[in-house]
Amino acid sequence: VFSILTICFFTDFEHQIIPNEMSFGLILVGIIYAILGADFLDSFLGMMLVVLVFSLFTIIMYLFGESHAFGAGDIKLCLGIGSVWGWQITAIALYFTFLIGGIVGFYFLVIKKKKKNTYYAFAPVIILGLLVALIYTDNIFDYYYPWINNSFQIETIRLKL
């Protein structure tokens, strides 16, 4: 999975494209992992969360006059992340992705004086948001949402069942 993410990171950074083979491969790995781990609902909810969030942001951007808010590769990469890590990590990853993306966008538009329609590689921001989420999701959910499953550890979940 991290090999796929690394390839997506550098390919988008250098060539401004995320290969479909990588995105669909990540989605397939996530679905197979979810089926084998009997956690298909969490994987499905992660993918639906991505669809909901990107749909809302696309509608908001369209209302502000932007017809191309995101690339399809960015959405497919996030769908892969949702299918592999489920809805909880995906929710935090999307939060940090858009927070970091806003900071990077502000830097390029205001400080570097780039044009508004210039393409920016978003896969590095998505992957950075995922890494932050992988580190802090357990703490965030334990502190702010203690009623939602206090731990993401497999052993704790098995003991509860």
Side-chain angles (χ1 to χ4, degrees), residues 31-76:
I31 291 172
I32 291 171
Y33 179 72
I35 290 171
L36 294 177
D39 203 11
F40 187 73
L41 181 62
D42 192 38
S43 178
F44 178 75
L45 290 175
M47 291 190 297
M48 289 302 103
L49 178 66
V50 169
V51 170
L52 177 69
V53 167
F54 275 95
S55 296
L56 288 175
F57 270 99
T58 301
I59 290 169
I60 290 169
M61 295 298 289
Y62 185 74
L63 292 174
F64 282 102
E66 294 295 322
S67 60
H68 293 45
F70 303 101
D74 300 327
I75 298 170
K76 289 181 281 188

Side-chain angles (χ1 to χ4, degrees), residues 100-112:
I100 295 166
I103 294 168
V104 169
F106 177 80
Y107 171 76
F108 281 123
L109 290 174
V110 175
I111 297 172
K112 288 287 193 172

